[in-house]
Amino acid sequence: MHSGARAVALCLLLVLAGCAGGPVATDGDGRMPTDTETGTAATPSTAIDAPPSATPKPDAIEVEVIDVVDGDTIDVRYPNGSEDTVRLLGVDTPEVHAETDPAEFPGVPEAEAGRNCLREWGERASQHAEDELLGETVTLSFDENEPRRGYYGRLLAYVHVDGDSFNYGLLTLGLARRYDSSSFQYRERYGTAEGIARGTDAGLWGACATGDPQTATETPIPIADGGPPLWISEITADAAGDDRENLNGEYVTFGNAGNETLDLSGWTVSDEADHTYTFPEGAEIPPNGTITLHTGSGEDGSGDYYWGQGSPVWNNGGDTVIVRNESGETVIERSYDG
């Protein structure tokens, strides 16, 4: 057995990037004005880099974050010095300047304890936004299904920082719920992320169900925005009885949060000591299904796969589960403590 590790989870996040420039004005219905209407060029002028997996958006712009209003609202400054307020698309963090209705967050008790807990996690979401965004240059991109501005005149946008989708990250950290009063393009994906966060008691979902803000930590869940919808639903490192005599009682269960079958052929699972298992050709997880990888020996089938190890792999005191796809790219890196 080998040493444990701090909890780490990497998510491959969908990034919408494209061109950057000055502020883009809109009319009342969120439509881009023409040059004639504004008297200035309405097309961004400065290109920014986008990762290979991204679909460049011609309306993406770069801005500096100058203030954090709360977890889902920020103030920004354009390159020309003008300022604007941005409401993050698709997510809703608990309020800090008003009281949050616990009914908006399923499972949170509609009582004083629930309201107090949500207020605490609203403050955590705001602090997270300050830590990650304040003073940073970020990219804003917009949704074809949503107007450019909302009811209060704020920009409605996805915020990307250092190649990551900040909006989506709020969901994976359990700092926000999906904003349901919206028809944004990634509604289903965001709903899946919220569902897994709730199912794994991430962030406020684990804390506020008991009314105790200290019962959960801000740990990202292992699902990629735009990448494979693979997640780890269970890690059993300490098998019943003697681990050495119950190798198949030591296992990791993987889930598919997507709507299509996930092919794991050639994907690998490793621990910190670099013990590595490779899924055979034809290994698949059906939509919303699971498969289990046992440490010991057996015949693959019915959702069970066998590593064939002669001794335990997963450290009872803590370890890291690392999943890579057939190209060797890390899809999940999730640590656990004993």
Coordinates of all heavy atoms in Angstrom, one line a residue, residues 216-264:
A216 N -19.5 20.2 4.9 CA -19.1 19.9 3.5 C -18.0 20.9 3.1 O -17.9 22.0 3.6 CB -20.2 19.9 2.5
T217 N -17.2 20.5 2.2 CA -16.1 21.4 1.7 C -16.3 21.6 0.2 O -17.0 20.9 -0.5 CB -14.7 20.8 2.0 OG1 -14.7 19.5 1.3 CG2 -14.5 20.6 3.4
E218 N -15.6 22.7 -0.3 CA -15.8 23.0 -1.7 C -14.8 22.1 -2.5 O -13.7 22.5 -2.9 CB -15.4 24.5 -1.9 CG -16.4 25.4 -1.2 CD -15.9 26.9 -1.2 OE1 -15.0 27.2 -2.1 OE2 -16.4 27.7 -0.5
T219 N -15.3 20.9 -2.8 CA -14.5 20.0 -3.6 C -15.2 19.7 -5.0 O -16.3 19.4 -5.0 CB -14.4 18.6 -2.9 OG1 -13.9 18.8 -1.6 CG2 -13.6 17.6 -3.7
P220 N -14.5 20.0 -6.1 CA -15.1 19.8 -7.4 C -15.5 18.4 -7.6 O -14.8 17.5 -7.1 CB -13.9 20.2 -8.3 CG -13.0 21.0 -7.5 CD -13.1 20.5 -6.1
I221 N -16.6 18.2 -8.3 CA -17.0 16.9 -8.6 C -16.4 16.5 -10.0 O -16.0 17.3 -10.8 CB -18.6 16.8 -8.8 CG1 -19.1 17.8 -9.8 CG2 -19.2 17.1 -7.5 CD1 -20.5 17.7 -10.1
P222 N -16.2 15.2 -10.2 CA -15.4 14.7 -11.3 C -16.2 14.6 -12.6 O -16.5 13.5 -13.0 CB -14.9 13.4 -10.9 CG -15.9 12.9 -9.9 CD -16.5 14.1 -9.2
I223 N -16.7 15.7 -13.1 CA -17.4 15.6 -14.4 C -16.9 16.8 -15.3 O -16.8 17.9 -14.8 CB -18.9 15.6 -14.2 CG1 -19.6 15.5 -15.6 CG2 -19.4 16.8 -13.5 CD1 -21.1 15.4 -15.5
A224 N -16.7 16.5 -16.5 CA -16.1 17.5 -17.4 C -17.2 18.3 -18.2 O -18.1 17.7 -18.7 CB -15.1 16.9 -18.4
D225 N -17.0 19.6 -18.2 CA -17.9 20.5 -19.0 C -17.6 20.3 -20.5 O -16.6 20.8 -20.9 CB -17.8 21.9 -18.6 CG -18.8 22.8 -19.3 OD1 -19.6 22.3 -20.0 OD2 -18.7 24.0 -19.1
G226 N -18.4 19.6 -21.2 CA -18.2 19.4 -22.6 C -17.4 18.2 -22.9 O -17.2 17.8 -24.0
G227 N -16.8 17.6 -21.9 CA -16.0 16.4 -22.1 C -16.9 15.2 -21.7 O -18.1 15.2 -21.6
P228 N -16.2 14.0 -21.6 CA -17.0 12.8 -21.3 C -17.7 12.9 -19.9 O -17.1 13.4 -19.0 CB -15.9 11.7 -21.2 CG -14.7 12.3 -21.9 CD -14.8 13.8 -21.7
P229 N -19.0 12.6 -19.9 CA -19.8 12.7 -18.7 C -19.5 11.6 -17.7 O -20.5 11.0 -17.1 CB -21.2 12.7 -19.2 CG -21.2 11.8 -20.4 CD -19.8 12.1 -21.0
L230 N -18.3 11.3 -17.4 CA -17.9 10.2 -16.5 C -17.7 10.8 -15.1 O -17.1 11.8 -14.9 CB -16.6 9.6 -17.0 CG -16.1 8.4 -16.2 CD1 -16.9 7.1 -16.4 CD2 -14.6 8.1 -16.6
W231 N -18.2 10.0 -14.1 CA -18.0 10.4 -12.8 C -17.8 9.2 -11.9 O -18.1 8.1 -12.3 CB -19.1 11.3 -12.2 CG -20.4 10.7 -12.1 CD1 -21.2 10.2 -13.1 CD2 -21.2 10.5 -10.9 NE1 -22.4 9.8 -12.6 CE2 -22.4 9.9 -11.3 CE3 -20.9 10.8 -9.6 CZ2 -23.4 9.6 -10.3 CZ3 -21.9 10.5 -8.6 CH2 -23.1 9.9 -9.0
I232 N -17.2 9.4 -10.7 CA -17.0 8.3 -9.8 C -18.1 8.4 -8.7 O -18.2 9.3 -8.0 CB -15.6 8.4 -9.1 CG1 -14.5 8.3 -10.2 CG2 -15.4 7.4 -8.1 CD1 -13.1 8.6 -9.7
S233 N -18.9 7.3 -8.7 CA -20.0 7.3 -7.7 C -19.6 6.6 -6.4 O -20.3 6.9 -5.4 CB -21.2 6.6 -8.4 OG -20.9 5.2 -8.6
E234 N -18.6 5.8 -6.4 CA -18.3 5.1 -5.2 C -16.8 4.6 -5.2 O -16.4 4.1 -6.2 CB -19.2 3.9 -4.9 CG -19.0 3.2 -3.6 CD -20.0 2.1 -3.3 OE1 -20.9 1.9 -4.1 OE2 -19.8 1.4 -2.3
I235 N -16.1 4.8 -4.1 CA -14.8 4.2 -3.9 C -14.8 3.4 -2.7 O -15.0 3.9 -1.6 CB -13.7 5.3 -3.8 CG1 -13.7 6.1 -5.1 CG2 -12.3 4.6 -3.6 CD1 -12.7 7.3 -5.0
T236 N -14.6 2.1 -2.8 CA -14.5 1.2 -1.6 C -13.1 0.7 -1.5 O -12.7 -0.3 -2.2 CB -15.5 0.0 -1.7 OG1 -16.8 0.6 -1.7 CG2 -15.4 -0.9 -0.4
A237 N -12.3 1.4 -0.7 CA -10.9 1.0 -0.6 C -10.6 -0.1 0.5 O -9.7 -0.9 0.4 CB -10.0 2.2 -0.3
D238 N -11.5 0.0 1.5 CA -11.3 -0.9 2.7 C -12.4 -2.0 2.6 O -13.5 -1.9 3.0 CB -11.5 -0.1 4.0 CG -11.1 -1.0 5.2 OD1 -10.7 -2.1 5.0 OD2 -11.3 -0.5 6.3
A239 N -12.0 -3.1 2.0 CA -12.9 -4.3 1.8 C -13.3 -4.9 3.1 O -12.5 -4.8 4.1 CB -12.3 -5.3 0.8
A240 N -14.4 -5.6 3.2 CA -14.8 -6.3 4.4 C -13.8 -7.3 4.7 O -13.3 -8.1 3.9 CB -16.2 -6.9 4.2
G241 N -13.5 -7.4 6.0 CA -12.5 -8.4 6.5 C -11.1 -8.1 6.1 O -10.7 -6.9 6.0
D242 N -10.3 -9.1 5.8 CA -8.9 -8.9 5.4 C -8.9 -8.5 3.9 O -9.3 -9.3 3.0 CB -8.1 -10.2 5.6 CG -6.6 -10.0 5.4 OD1 -6.2 -9.1 4.6 OD2 -5.8 -10.7 6.0
D243 N -8.4 -7.3 3.6 CA -8.3 -6.8 2.2 C -7.6 -7.8 1.3 O -8.0 -8.0 0.1 CB -7.6 -5.5 2.1 CG -8.4 -4.4 2.7 OD1 -9.4 -4.6 3.4 OD2 -8.0 -3.2 2.5
R244 N -6.6 -8.5 1.8 CA -5.8 -9.4 0.9 C -6.6 -10.6 0.6 O -6.3 -11.3 -0.4 CB -4.5 -9.8 1.7 CG -3.6 -8.6 1.9 CD -2.5 -8.9 2.9 NE -3.0 -9.2 4.2 CZ -2.3 -9.6 5.2 NH1 -1.0 -9.6 5.1 NH2 -2.8 -9.8 6.4
E245 N -7.6 -11.0 1.4 CA -8.4 -12.1 1.1 C -9.8 -11.8 0.5 O -10.6 -12.7 0.2 CB -8.7 -12.9 2.4 CG -7.4 -13.4 3.0 CD -7.6 -14.2 4.3 OE1 -8.8 -14.3 4.7 OE2 -6.6 -14.7 4.9
N246 N -10.0 -10.5 0.3 CA -11.3 -10.1 -0.3 C -11.0 -9.0 -1.3 O -11.5 -7.9 -1.3 CB -12.2 -9.5 0.8 CG -13.6 -9.2 0.2 OD1 -14.0 -9.6 -0.8 ND2 -14.4 -8.4 1.0
L247 N -10.2 -9.4 -2.3 CA -9.8 -8.4 -3.3 C -11.0 -7.8 -4.2 O -10.9 -6.6 -4.6 CB -8.8 -9.0 -4.3 CG -7.4 -9.4 -3.6 CD1 -6.5 -10.1 -4.6 CD2 -6.7 -8.1 -3.0
N248 N -12.0 -8.6 -4.4 CA -13.1 -8.1 -5.1 C -14.1 -7.2 -4.3 O -15.0 -6.6 -4.8 CB -13.9 -9.2 -5.8 CG -13.1 -9.8 -7.0 OD1 -12.3 -9.1 -7.6 ND2 -13.3 -11.1 -7.3
G249 N -13.8 -7.2 -3.0 CA -14.5 -6.3 -2.1 C -13.9 -4.9 -2.2 O -14.5 -4.0 -1.6
E250 N -12.8 -4.8 -2.8 CA -12.2 -3.5 -3.1 C -12.5 -3.1 -4.5 O -12.2 -3.8 -5.4 CB -10.7 -3.6 -2.9 CG -9.9 -2.3 -3.0 CD -8.4 -2.5 -2.9 OE1 -7.7 -2.7 -4.0 OE2 -7.9 -2.4 -1.8
Y251 N -13.1 -1.9 -4.7 CA -13.6 -1.6 -6.0 C -13.9 -0.1 -6.2 O -14.0 0.7 -5.2 CB -14.9 -2.3 -6.4 CG -16.0 -2.1 -5.4 CD1 -16.9 -1.1 -5.6 CD2 -16.3 -3.0 -4.4 CE1 -17.9 -0.9 -4.7 CE2 -17.3 -2.8 -3.5 CZ -18.2 -1.8 -3.7 OH -19.2 -1.6 -2.8
V252 N -14.0 0.3 -7.4 CA -14.4 1.7 -7.8 C -15.5 1.6 -8.8 O -15.5 0.8 -9.7 CB -13.2 2.5 -8.4 CG1 -13.7 3.9 -8.8 CG2 -12.0 2.5 -7.5
T253 N -16.6 2.4 -8.5 CA -17.8 2.4 -9.4 C -17.8 3.7 -10.2 O -17.7 4.8 -9.6 CB -19.1 2.2 -8.6 OG1 -19.0 0.9 -7.9 CG2 -20.3 2.2 -9.5
F254 N -17.9 3.6 -11.5 CA -18.0 4.7 -12.4 C -19.4 4.9 -12.9 O -20.1 3.9 -13.2 CB -17.0 4.6 -13.5 CG -15.6 4.4 -13.1 CD1 -15.0 3.1 -12.9 CD2 -14.8 5.5 -12.9 CE1 -13.7 3.0 -12.5 CE2 -13.5 5.4 -12.5 CZ -12.9 4.1 -12.3
G255 N -19.8 6.1 -13.1 CA -21.2 6.4 -13.6 C -21.1 7.2 -14.9 O -20.1 8.0 -15.1
N256 N -22.1 7.1 -15.7 CA -22.2 7.9 -17.0 C -23.4 8.8 -16.8 O -24.6 8.4 -16.8 CB -22.5 6.9 -18.2 CG -22.7 7.7 -19.5 OD1 -22.6 8.9 -19.5 ND2 -23.1 7.0 -20.5
A257 N -23.1 10.1 -16.7 CA -24.2 11.1 -16.4 C -24.8 11.6 -17.7 O -25.7 12.5 -17.7 CB -23.6 12.3 -15.7
G258 N -24.3 11.1 -18.9 CA -24.8 11.5 -20.2 C -26.0 10.8 -20.7 O -26.5 9.9 -20.0
N259 N -26.4 11.2 -21.8 CA -27.6 10.6 -22.5 C -27.3 9.6 -23.6 O -28.1 9.0 -24.2 CB -28.5 11.7 -23.1 CG -29.1 12.6 -22.0 OD1 -29.5 12.1 -20.9 ND2 -29.1 13.9 -22.3
E260 N -26.0 9.3 -23.7 CA -25.5 8.4 -24.7 C -24.5 7.4 -24.1 O -23.9 7.7 -23.1 CB -24.8 9.1 -25.9 CG -25.7 10.1 -26.7 CD -25.0 10.8 -27.8 OE1 -23.8 10.5 -28.0 OE2 -25.7 11.5 -28.5
T261 N -24.4 6.2 -24.7 CA -23.5 5.2 -24.2 C -22.1 5.8 -24.2 O -21.6 6.4 -25.2 CB -23.6 3.9 -25.0 OG1 -24.9 3.4 -24.8 CG2 -22.6 2.9 -24.5
L262 N -21.3 5.5 -23.2 CA -19.9 6.0 -23.1 C -19.0 4.8 -23.3 O -19.0 3.9 -22.5 CB -19.7 6.6 -21.7 CG -18.3 7.2 -21.4 CD1 -18.0 8.3 -22.4 CD2 -18.2 7.8 -20.0
D263 N -18.2 4.9 -24.3 CA -17.2 3.8 -24.7 C -15.9 4.0 -23.9 O -15.2 5.0 -24.2 CB -17.0 3.8 -26.2 CG -16.1 2.6 -26.6 OD1 -15.7 1.8 -25.8 OD2 -15.9 2.5 -27.9
L264 N -15.5 3.1 -23.1 CA -14.3 3.2 -22.3 C -13.1 2.3 -22.9 O -12.1 2.2 -22.2 CB -14.5 2.8 -20.9 CG -15.5 3.7 -20.1 CD1 -15.6 3.2 -18.6 CD2 -15.2 5.1 -20.1

